[in-house]
Amino acid sequence: MKLRNVAIIAHVDHGKTTLVDQLFRQSGTFRDNQRVEERAMDSTDLEKERGITILAKCTSVDWPSPDGGSTHINIVDTPGHADFGAEVERILSMVDGVILLVDAAEGPMPQTKFVTGKALALGLRPIVVVNKIDRPDARPAEVLDEIFELFLNLDASDEQLDFPTLYASGRAGYAGPDDSVRSGDLTPLFETIVDHVPPPTVDPDGPFAMLVTLLDRDNFVGRVLTGRISSGRLTINMPIRALDPDGKVVEEGRATKIMAFRGLERVPVEEAEAGEIVAIAGLTQATVANTIADPSLTEPLHAQPIDPPTLAMTFSVNDSPMAGREGTKVTSRMIRDRLLREAEGNVSFHITESADKDSFEVAGRGELQLGVLIETMRREGFELSISRPRVLFRDGPPNFDGTTGREEPYETVVVDVDDAYASTVVSKIQLRKGELVEQRPSSGGKTRLVFSAPSRGLIGYHGEFLSDTRGTGIMNRLFERYGPYKGAIEGRQTGVLISNAGGQAVAYALNALEDRGALMVSPGEPVYEGMIVGENAKPEDLEVNPLKSKQLTNFRASGPKEDAIRLTPPKRLTLEQAIAYIDEDELVEVTPKSIRLRKRHLDPHERKRANRAKAA
């Protein structure tokens, strides 16, 4: 049986997962009458809700050959967002070719550049699929030119520049070599994969060796390590050892279970050969970037270096007056174990424990990646206090006076926005120390703006961006480089309303507070001293009493004052919005049922002391 290993890479929402669904159906992996969820590869609740791929996943299809045999095609669906780039980098070391999927209207986007650059650097030859060809605003010829220009900018070799191109509609399930195609099936894509992607370059006769690229846990067999076998053959219960990237032995054991990918499922097999992507159980300490090998092997396989984290948050025990009411996992030990388990499987996370053992600095790639971790933990029953994100600086070249210079991370920001809002976006990003690099008209009365901006200035900007563009703007960010420190950047322009008492919010009190600013709580909602109950219209913070009730008298009022109180619906922040909204002296209290904002110091006297110390 022939074997092909291929990854599908693309920008967010360009149709990867939908196309994989069609490959399943047309290869016979799913029966015609089988009920399968749409976007079957996005298996977690968060992926389905957000419509993005967070975790890389392996699957396979068998495509019948004209000679009567078949080709086993291992397909890897990779994340499309830059925050999950570590997944992409590891996955590409398992495959021998890539399908680059590009939207026929949007063209190559920043994430396309990021992932394609990684693939080309590994020497992988791409197959280009211009997807969503049936969109009314499709511009396939221009998009193909943009892809070719992108490859040139990424120093693609002559062989890589000689790429086959197909035009497709993943949703409708057809592809063809011409941009006029509007019917048919995906046979041209299957044939191109078989003809263009080379078989795995492996050593079938050498000692067994495999680089671990994915790690997950199974309730029955424990730790499961996934990778491609680079040499030799693996059989059930065979002795194996794990080597770290420096060649040190991590542990020794046996392959108690070998699983191959068949459609969406992992199926137990008795043996596996070089070139196959398999999952192994039996080891308890081996992790991502380790080499699993025959005990005679002493040299580890080369692992791809991972880009460093650029953003950090502090995760700490929830110490608010409402702690422990909604979650079941509230201790620092539980939080520590969960974070260390996450860092095992996701090498882009760095976890540092504080001296008091009650808080942990979690460093990662971006706000989305950290937000997904927090959301996952709250759904598992955890209660946490989360700090405002902060960028990670590094030492740069010395200043003119001999002191050490500081460098901060910069991002490339690509914005597609209606022409009417372009000037607003430019001025807002320039206030955040961003520089406009490129401005050009895009399709459909839109303008494409490209900025180079410090990551620090972009924290919390996305919500403001959506408001400024009436929800029509699209913003994509990509880590660019470390550069010179840009100086102070203005933070939030408004103060907050802080509760000065604990209890249940009263409609009469909230009605009086509406003149002060936007409220974040409803009548009857529990509040506590130091909790943020609204946004002040003025720059300073204001302590208020949301519990004050109407004074009762012996006299009955007459007229409109007797009418029921009508309150504006409260301003509810999502988890990502809350994390981006808070200031340095504030925290987000995250529980399975609630997201609350609070001051770091709940007692007003402690807050004043902390503010004086900071000013000094």
Side-chain angles (χ1 to χ4, degrees), residues 332-577:
S332 59
R333 181 184 60 79
M334 288 176 165
I335 295 170
R336 176 182 178 275
D337 292 347
R338 177 64 178 83
L339 290 175
L340 292 178
R341 196 164 75 241
E342 185 71 27
E344 272 183 0
N346 193 332
V347 292
S348 63
F349 278 127
H350 291 186
I351 314 293
T352 310
E353 193 169 4
S354 68
D356 62 7
K357 307 290 185 185
D358 269 356
S359 63
F360 309 86
E361 183 179 89
V362 182
R365 283 287 188 86
E367 292 166 79
L368 177 63
Q369 185 196 31
L370 289 163
V372 165
L373 171 61
I374 298 164
E375 181 64 37
T376 304
M377 288 179 69
R378 76 184 283 237
R379 292 183 184 202
E380 293 171 0
F382 283 89
E383 288 195 7
L384 304 161
S385 289
I386 307 294
S387 75
R388 178 175 169 79
R390 59 189 176 281
V391 299
L392 298 175
F393 295 95
R394 73 177 189 186
D395 292 339
N399 295 322
F400 64 90
D401 58 359
T403 58
T404 303
R406 271 205 304 176
E407 288 191 330
E408 63 177 323
Y410 281 67
E411 297 183 33
T412 299
V413 185
V414 178
V415 172
D416 284 303
V417 65
D418 290 343
D419 296 342
Y421 306 130
S423 59
T424 305
V425 172
V426 170
S427 61
K428 286 286 181 75
I429 294 185
Q430 285 177 340
L431 280 175
R432 293 168 174 265
K433 306 287 186 179
E435 294 179 6
L436 183 63
V437 176
E438 183 186 346
Q439 178 173 353
R440 61 182 173 84
S442 188
S443 58
K446 289 185 177 290
T447 299
R448 175 163 291 184
L449 306 166
V450 182
F451 300 89
S452 175
S455 303
R456 189 166 45 98
L458 297 171
I459 293 173
Y461 173 60
H462 194 253
E464 191 179 328
F465 168 77
L466 290 176
S467 298
D468 290 342
T469 61
R470 305 296 186 270
T472 60
I474 299 172
M475 180 170 68
N476 292 286
R477 294 160 51 178
L478 173 67
F479 173 74
E480 181 185 310
R481 62 188 167 94
Y482 267 88
Y485 176 64
K486 276 274 194 171
I489 296 175
E490 275 192 9
R492 194 176 65 204
Q493 301 297 306
T494 57
V496 290
L497 304 177
I498 309 162
S499 175
N500 63 8
Q504 288 191 329
V506 175
Y508 176 77
L510 297 181
N511 186 48
L513 293 177
E514 281 206 317
D515 292 340
R516 300 286 189 179
L519 297 176
M520 296 181 181
V521 295
S522 301
E525 203 169 313
V527 298
Y528 53 82
E529 185 180 26
M531 179 174 156
I532 295 170
V533 295
E535 181 179 66
N536 192 6
K538 296 181 179 178
E540 65 273 1
D541 293 345
L542 182 67
E543 291 187 25
V544 297
N545 183 1
L547 313 180
K548 187 177 179 182
S549 56
K550 186 176 182 182
Q551 295 296 317
L552 298 177
T553 70
N554 290 328
F555 296 95
R556 176 178 292 180
S558 61
K561 287 189 178 179
E562 284 278 295
D563 291 348
I565 293 170
R566 294 177 185 273
L567 292 171
T568 307
K571 179 179 181 178
R572 300 291 187 191
L573 300 181
T574 64
L575 176 61
E576 273 94 0
Q577 287 170 341

Side-chain angles (χ1 to χ4, degrees), residues 294-310:
D294 185 274
S296 63
L297 208 69
T298 56
E299 284 294 314
L301 298 170
H302 172 68
Q304 280 297 113
I306 304 298
D307 287 346
T310 57

Side-chain angles (χ1 to χ4, degrees), residues 70-377:
S70 68
T71 302
H72 185 71
I73 304 172
N74 286 313
I75 301 171
V76 184
D77 185 24
T78 60
H81 197 285
D83 280 16
F84 308 105
E87 288 277 326
V88 175
E89 294 163 52
R90 298 202 306 267
I91 280 296
L92 292 176
S93 65
M94 283 204 299
V95 299
D96 306 290
V98 293
I99 298 172
L100 174 60
L101 200 67
V102 181
D103 189 296
E106 292 186 4
M109 299 293 278
Q111 181 63 12
T112 320
K113 178 181 178 181
F114 167 77
V115 187
T116 306
K118 299 286 185 188
L120 295 177
L122 288 170
L124 299 174
R125 292 179 61 198
I127 297 168
V128 172
V129 178
V130 180
N131 195 30
K132 303 187 183 182
I133 193 72
D134 48 354
R135 279 183 62 158
D137 55 347
R139 46 186 192 94
E142 294 171 50
V143 166
L144 188 60
D145 289 342
E146 290 171 11
I147 294 169
F148 193 81
E149 188 178 331
L150 172 67
F151 283 12
L152 288 173
N153 293 337
L154 294 173
D155 297 324
S157 66
D158 291 344
E159 189 180 32
Q160 289 170 327
L161 287 171
D162 186 22
F163 54 84
T165 304
L166 292 171
Y167 301 89
S169 168
R171 185 173 292 278
Y174 60 78
D178 190 87
D179 61 17
S180 61
V181 63
R182 291 296 181 274
S183 62
D185 57 22
L186 293 175
T187 298
L189 178 55
F190 281 112
E191 291 173 344
T192 306
I193 292 171
V194 174
D195 294 342
H196 188 75
V197 177
T201 307
V202 290
D203 178 10
D205 302 319
F208 165 70
M210 180 188 99
L211 184 69
V212 180
T213 50
L214 293 173
L215 179 149
D216 61 2
R217 290 172 179 271
D218 186 284
N219 292 334
F220 301 103
V221 298
R223 185 174 292 220
V224 179
L225 307 161
T226 301
R228 182 178 70 170
I229 301 176
S230 299
S231 67
R233 172 192 294 266
L234 178 66
T235 56
I236 200 85
N237 282 325
M238 179 175 138
I240 51 176
R241 64 160 40 160
L243 304 171
D244 70 11
D246 298 324
K248 294 176 185 171
V249 178
V250 177
E251 65 172 318
E252 297 190 349
R254 290 182 178 274
T256 58
K257 197 160 192 177
I258 307 168
M259 291 166 281
F261 294 91
R262 300 288 183 265
L264 288 171
E265 298 175 353
R266 286 195 297 226
V267 178
V269 293
E270 290 296 313
E271 63 177 16
E273 298 181 350
E276 290 189 53
I277 295 176
V278 294
I280 303 173
L283 298 177
T284 59
Q285 297 171 39
T287 186
V288 170
N290 286 175
T291 298
I292 311 299
D294 185 274
S296 63
L297 208 69
T298 56
E299 284 294 314
L301 298 170
H302 172 68
Q304 280 297 113
I306 304 298
D307 287 346
T310 57
L311 203 68
M313 294 180 193
T314 301
F315 288 44
S316 53
V317 173
N318 181 19
D319 60 356
S320 89
M322 295 187 190
R325 294 189 188 181
E326 298 174 359
T328 55
K329 299 172 182 176
V330 297
T331 65
S332 59
R333 181 184 60 79
M334 288 176 165
I335 295 170
R336 176 182 178 275
D337 292 347
R338 177 64 178 83
L339 290 175
L340 292 178
R341 196 164 75 241
E342 185 71 27
E344 272 183 0
N346 193 332
V347 292
S348 63
F349 278 127
H350 291 186
I351 314 293
T352 310
E353 193 169 4
S354 68
D356 62 7
K357 307 290 185 185
D358 269 356
S359 63
F360 309 86
E361 183 179 89
V362 182
R365 283 287 188 86
E367 292 166 79
L368 177 63
Q369 185 196 31
L370 289 163
V372 165
L373 171 61
I374 298 164
E375 181 64 37
T376 304
M377 288 179 69

Side-chain angles (χ1 to χ4, degrees), residues 573-582 588 595-597:
L573 300 181
T574 64
L575 176 61
E576 273 94 0
Q577 287 170 341
I579 291 168
Y581 178 83
I582 57 173
V588 179
I595 295 171
R596 303 183 187 97
L597 275 58

